[in-house]
Amino acid sequence: MSAEGSTPWQATVLSLFPEMFPGPLGHSIADKARKSGLWSLKSLDIRDFARDKHRSVDETPFGGGSGMVMRPNVVDAALASVDDMPGRRIYLSPRGARFDQAMARELAAEPGVVLLCGRYEGLDQRVIDARGLEEVSLGDFVLSGGEIPALALLDACIRLLPGVLGAAETLDEESFEEGLLEYPHYTQPREWNGVSVPEILLSGHHARIRSWRREQSEEITRQRRPDLWARYRGSEE
Ligand code: SAM
């Protein structure tokens, strides 16, 4: 686990577009955290591991069909070059286990992660099997490449690293931390667009505010996410 003053949490990314990194992670909280040494990033170009004169990384699929497939030997060589980097070997893929806050917490508690971003139709199955790659999906949709999922996964992990966010409470009350979606927020002005801030939030009564927020969280979760609500109710029994 990374903490201020100790080894940074190490993110390693293999991509055909390494210039997409750090991308949005070069701004705001993630950028500040990287500059303070809380996490580090190594992004490699898979194409650098191609051995033929055209530096080709893909080929047509055996058995026919549309699209191209990433060559196993090239991807394997790219992975071999980061054998010394810490963390699970994850291939971002729509076929993978769905990424969620629990997985972000697990990964953030490890020393780092190695992410492989696919392109075209994806990787030759043999390198997935030979390397025991763990497939992780961002959701039930198909993107053009694994770079956006990798950035999203990294962002979710980085903000969980100790010292990245200011107050620990910021995390405790967030959506999914207790299996519920978050309650609504309000700020100044007290009245806007003809609507006042709920009276309870102005009461200064912390226990009642906490219980109002809990009720709101439960109601929002019940209405919007029957799957989370059923799990939450199950965990309470
Ligand atoms: N032929 C693949 C399929 O039908 O499952 C889709 C390949 S997609 C066009 C190219 C790459 O984008 C994938 O190899 C993967 O790395 C990435 N990708 C696309 N959608 C993704 C998702 N929902 N989650 C994670 N990675 C995704």
Side-chain angles (χ1 to χ4, degrees):
M1 182 182 302
S2 111
E4 260 161 316
S6 63
T7 317
W9 188 78
Q10 296 184 61
T12 308
V13 181
L14 303 172
S15 162
L16 287 171
F17 300 97
E19 64 280 8
M20 286 191 185
F21 298 85
L25 303 178
H27 298 267
S28 186
I29 292 168
D31 184 52
K32 214 169 124 215
R34 190 155 71 101
K35 288 180 175 148
S36 329
L38 295 176
W39 70 287
S40 69
L41 173 70
K42 179 171 179 161
S43 53
L44 282 90
D45 190 343
I46 297 173
R47 197 171 295 279
D48 287 344
F49 299 88
R51 287 289 160 256
D52 63 326
K53 68 172 191 274
H54 303 293
R55 303 212 320 142
S56 66
V57 293
D58 58 317
E59 250 306 342
T60 52
F62 281 122
S66 61
M68 302 294 272
V69 176
M70 290 174 75
R71 291 167 178 255
N73 49 345
V74 176
V75 173
D76 186 60
L79 282 163
S81 79
V82 294
D83 268 347
D84 56 332
M85 297 308 286
R88 281 147 67 173
R89 272 49 186 160
I90 292 180
Y91 166 43
L92 282 316
S93 154
R95 298 189 316 190
R98 185 87 68 86
F99 182 63
D100 61 11
Q101 191 67 12
M103 200 187 295
R105 249 182 269 125
E106 272 173 37
L107 295 171
E110 291 165 13
V113 69
V114 176
L115 302 176
L116 177 62
C117 305
R119 281 273 156 178
Y120 318 116
E121 292 309 318
L123 305 186
D124 183 305
Q125 184 63 38
R126 290 168 294 178
V127 69
I128 301 178
D129 297 339
R131 286 268 168 189
L133 300 178
E134 185 179 340
E135 294 187 54
V136 171
S137 167
L138 201 66
D140 292 343
F141 43 80
V142 179
L143 299 165
S144 331
E147 290 77 12
I148 291 173
L151 287 165
L153 181 152
L154 291 176
D155 185 69
C157 295
I158 290 162
R159 58 198 300 290
L160 296 175
L161 300 175
V164 170
L165 294 187
E169 310 86 75
T170 323
L171 289 172
D172 293 346
E173 297 191 352
E174 270 185 339
S175 290
F176 310 113
E177 285 302 326
E178 290 187 79
L180 292 172
L181 300 178
E182 201 183 39
Y183 51 79
H185 294 287
Y186 298 90
T187 185
Q188 300 287 358
R190 277 186 183 205
E191 185 169 325
W192 178 76
N193 210 20
V195 182
S196 298
V197 168
E199 208 50 45
I200 180 81
L201 299 178
L202 308 174
S203 69
H205 198 300
H206 297 301
R208 276 197 225 138
I209 292 174
R210 249 197 319 278
S211 98
W212 179 85
R213 283 178 165 164
R214 166 62 63 145
E215 282 163 24
Q216 294 286 314
S217 274
E218 291 186 350
E219 187 51 24
I220 289 171
T221 309
R222 190 182 66 73
Q223 282 177 10
R224 298 185 186 177
R225 291 290 300 272
D227 57 327
L228 289 182
W229 181 241
R231 216 179 310 152
Y232 172 73
R233 292 300 299 271
S235 72
E236 273 196 322
E237 280 158 16

